[in-house]
Amino acid sequence: MAGRILLLFLRGIAALPHRWLMVIGGLIGLLHVVFRSRAYRVTETNLEICYPEMSKTDRSALTRASLTATGRTLMETPAAWLGNPVRIDRWITRIEGEELLHEALDNERGLLLLLPHLGNWELANVYFANRLPSTGLYQPPKQPALRPVMEKVRRNLGNELVPTTRSGLATLYRRLLEGKVVVVLPDQVPSTGEFAPFFGHEALTDRLVMRLIRKSRPQVLSVSMVRGQDGGFTMHFLSADEAVFDANSRAALAGVNRSVEQCVQLAPAQYQWEYKRFKERPSGEFRLYNYKGESSTYH
């Protein structure tokens, strides 16, 4: 019952006009700023270390803009999941670098797309559902109420979504070896991984992209969905950093992170800065999100 109620609620949000979703999302972002929420403080911390040369005034403005963008993404996500894919596809008004995609598709090798948490990354699924079958990962929800929602999302878009299990990862390898398209979020903090530089600081980085490349030798592009001032989105296809193919693990992971940085520079205010990207720290380094008196260093 709880799952059905949640699904109905999300469908109601998905049916709202896009301009309403943007206004409501903007208000959500404003509330984070007014009440100095945890998301606000994490965003401030991340921007301070990633853009140390930026003035305090400019960082404050970027913090507000980032939380506004995140609020809008939050409100748009039910539509990206459950809305009419044809209607939502009209939100994508421009495509940059599409020739890179077509060039890659003309090759018989598989295509690995790196999709950072920038703009509204969920819209990429809508783009591919309407044009190009793809395979991606999803985290099976622990809450029973969310399971019917995820099942509906998987059916609604038509893309192949596989769970973050051993069998799901094996499917990703197979799809690339079959010459198909696989989409991966490269900037999440993994449960295990290796430290590599991200905006000049060590960040625990998932090995998945590196392993997919080494085993399947696919072509690699980055892709981002950036929101314009009018609410329309520009989809950007970019060449990934060449180091992603490096045989050295640290160099390859640094290449993955530089590919993410390249996307972020398209629209820094639309990156998910409230995410604790530097939560895990090398031994002896200070914790960055020490807001409740936690131990100040890792040991």
Side-chain angles (χ1 to χ4, degrees), residues 68-88:
T68 296
T70 297
R72 287 172 174 166
T73 296
L74 175 67
M75 291 302 300
E76 292 164 347
T77 295
W81 283 355
L82 303 169
N84 183 321
V86 175
R87 171 205 164 206
I88 306 306

Side-chain angles (χ1 to χ4, degrees), residues 152-165:
K152 177 61 178 176
V153 171
R154 295 173 68 189
R155 291 195 302 270
N156 189 54
L157 293 176
N159 295 319
E160 182 181 29
L161 295 176
V162 297
T164 53
T165 60

Side-chain angles (χ1 to χ4, degrees), residues 244-280:
V244 299
F245 300 102
D246 201 292
N248 178 274
S249 296
R250 179 173 171 82
L253 294 176
V256 172
N257 286 343
R258 281 196 298 272
S259 298
V260 175
E261 290 176 21
Q262 184 183 18
C263 292
V264 173
Q265 300 302 359
L266 294 172
Q270 294 186 38
Y271 190 57
Q272 194 180 23
W273 293 111
E274 77 279 5
Y275 182 59
K276 296 181 180 179
R277 185 66 180 87
F278 303 101
K279 180 178 180 180
E280 300 298 329

Side-chain angles (χ1 to χ4, degrees), residues 174-240:
R174 286 199 303 271
R175 295 296 177 262
L176 289 174
L177 291 172
E178 293 166 357
K180 297 181 179 179
V181 178
V182 166
V183 182
V184 172
L185 298 169
D187 52 348
Q188 294 175 307
V189 179
S191 55
T192 61
E194 296 179 33
F195 285 102
F198 180 60
F199 279 94
H201 297 269
E202 295 296 304
L204 192 66
T205 304
D206 201 331
R207 302 184 186 96
L208 175 60
V209 170
M210 180 181 70
R211 289 171 173 170
L212 288 171
I213 291 173
R214 288 182 176 179
K215 190 168 183 176
S216 308
R217 303 307 297 176
Q219 302 168 97
V220 186
L221 296 176
S222 301
V223 58
S224 295
M225 197 73 71
V226 177
R227 184 187 299 102
Q229 291 184 349
D230 62 352
F233 286 85
T234 298
M235 192 173 196
H236 294 265
F237 289 98
L238 305 170
S239 298

Side-chain angles (χ1 to χ4, degrees), residues 99-120:
E99 69 279 0
L100 294 174
L101 174 64
H102 292 313
E103 182 180 324
L105 294 176
D106 288 339
N107 194 302
E108 294 183 358
R109 292 157 58 197
L111 173 60
L112 177 60
L113 293 174
L114 308 183
L115 177 66
H117 291 80
L118 177 73
N120 195 326

